[in-house]
Amino acid sequence: MTSWFRNQLLWYAFFTTAVVSVAVRILMRMCSAEKTGTCGFFGSGGFPLYEITEGQENFEFLELLPMLLLGVIGGLLGSCFNYLNSILAGIRKARLYKYGPSGRIWEGVVCALLTSTVSFLLPMMVSCAPCPPDSGEDCPRTDNSHSGNFVNFGCPDGYQYNDLATIFFNTQDDAIRNLFSSQTKSEYGVGTLITFVVMFFLLAVLSYGMALPTGLFVPSILCGAAYGRLVGVFVADMHPGTHSIDEGTYALLGAASFLGGCMRMTVATCVMLLELTNNLALLPLMMLVTLVAKVCEHGICRLSMAHLVT
């Protein structure tokens, strides 16, 4: 799309983006300095900046295979996501558009009810876990808090948390920040991550393309971060005595792989994730998994998402 923009318009967009970025950072510093609690989401996690300063720094050769596996998983899931969306786009054009705007409205209502039901019922089926003794924040989080880890949902004991509810009962920005968090080993169980990846993937496939103000970037990061952290859990369990393997770092690489496989963006994905995480040391690994995911997805599905849903 930007290939058709005038140079003057691109310079306007660059200037306004720079002004917004500087203004937002100044306001966030003011909110964090005052600590009055009156800034709401803006002052306590609403801005989508997932800074990773305590992630994994040293990597060994044995971790190359799991990282390549992340790229392959991202390519396979990305091609599956695009293929299913192309089928849904054809169904919407053939059967839903004939009902006019009312059909699109009812589709959105049904999808919203389904998403709310799944998000509420699934955490009720998960058993609670005891709070980690070395957690750096309140566990469980207070009832009046709208963000953070360790949600106490359906837990009989006051010092337990529901890990699946911690992902579902948060904004997507906070859920991504929780999955990217470093030095939080075994905070999420294997069954929880598998359940979330499957259900969130299906809900994302269903909701994308509807007459709703939804996007693909943040859901792709969230889905990729979930299965990336799952791979990190397996790697940490398989090599417990080698060195400190951080699950949050694998979550970031999983997000990069899904973006590369679903949206076929390589350079743009690396730049955006680098800006969001503010960690230059992870750039080569993000480039690796993104490239592998794009190659795998391109070998399976010849057309991109933009061509399939139009």
Side-chain angles (χ1 to χ4, degrees):
M1 295 176 61
T2 55
S3 301
W4 302 97
F5 287 172
R6 294 177 299 157
N7 291 334
Q8 185 180 12
L9 181 59
L10 290 175
W11 279 110
Y12 286 162
F14 176 79
F15 177 74
T16 53
T17 303
V19 172
V20 169
S21 177
V22 173
V24 166
R25 292 182 181 275
I26 292 176
L27 293 175
M28 289 184 67
R29 287 181 178 273
M30 293 173 57
C31 285
S32 61
E34 293 179 358
K35 297 181 180 181
T36 57
T38 58
C39 296
F41 283 98
F42 184 79
S44 58
F47 189 66
L49 180 62
Y50 320 115
E51 186 169 3
I52 299 179
T53 57
E54 299 178 352
Q56 186 174 338
E57 297 180 355
N58 300 320
F59 299 89
E60 295 188 4
F61 183 77
L62 57 89
E63 296 183 68
L64 181 61
L65 182 60
M67 292 177 184
L68 294 176
L69 179 62
L70 277 177
V72 174
I73 294 175
L76 294 177
L77 289 180
S79 60
C80 182
F81 186 91
N82 295 343
Y83 176 72
L84 293 177
N85 266 283
S86 65
I87 295 177
L88 284 178
I91 294 175
R92 289 188 178 105
K93 291 180 181 180
R95 300 185 179 182
L96 191 62
Y97 286 179
K98 61 182 179 181
Y99 296 104
S102 60
R104 307 303 300 272
I105 293 175
W106 278 110
E107 182 190 17
V109 171
V110 171
C111 184
L113 291 176
L114 178 63
T115 303
S116 301
T117 303
V118 170
S119 302
F120 185 80
L121 292 181
L122 281 181
M124 296 180 63
M125 305 177 184
V126 177
S127 59
C128 297
C131 292
D134 55 348
S135 61
E137 52 185 294
D138 295 335
C139 181
R141 77 181 191 189
T142 57
D143 295 335
N144 58 353
S145 177
H146 53 70
S147 63
N149 287 348
F150 310 118
V151 175
N152 188 316
F153 178 75
C155 299
D157 190 0
Y159 294 97
Q160 293 180 334
Y161 73 100
N162 191 316
D163 52 355
L164 188 57
T166 301
I167 308 178
F168 271 117
F169 293 171
N170 261 321
T171 63
Q172 291 188 354
D173 290 343
D174 285 323
I176 294 172
R177 189 175 291 107
N178 294 340
L179 291 172
F180 281 0
S181 59
S182 302
Q183 300 179 359
T184 53
K185 182 176 175 59
S186 303
E187 182 176 337
Y188 300 98
V190 174
T192 294
L193 294 174
I194 294 177
T195 303
F196 180 78
V197 169
V198 173
M199 296 308 303
F200 190 82
F201 179 83
L202 295 177
L203 291 174
V205 169
L206 181 63
S207 61
Y208 186 73
M210 299 175 58
L212 296 171
T214 59
L216 187 59
F217 183 68
V218 174
S220 298
I221 294 180
L222 184 54
C223 186
Y227 72 74
R229 193 174 183 100
L230 179 64
V231 173
V233 171
F234 286 130
V235 174
D237 292 339
M238 291 173 60
H239 306 281
T242 54
H243 64 287
S244 178
I245 295 178
D246 188 70
E247 300 171 2
T249 302
Y250 278 83
L252 172 62
L253 298 180
S257 69
F258 194 83
L259 284 172
C262 180
M263 306 179 70
R264 288 191 179 180
M265 297 190 306
T266 53
V267 178
T269 295
C270 294
V271 171
M272 286 186 290
L273 290 179
L274 179 63
E275 289 291 329
L276 290 174
T277 58
N278 195 24
N279 194 326
L280 186 61
L282 298 176
L283 180 59
L285 299 177
M286 288 190 290
M287 295 171 61
L288 174 64
V289 297
T290 303
L291 181 61
V292 173
K294 181 182 182 301
V295 171
C296 292
E297 196 277 338
H298 187 73
I300 298 174
C301 187
R302 292 294 180 180
L303 297 178
S304 63
M305 169 66 74
H307 292 87
L308 289 173
V309 298
T310 55

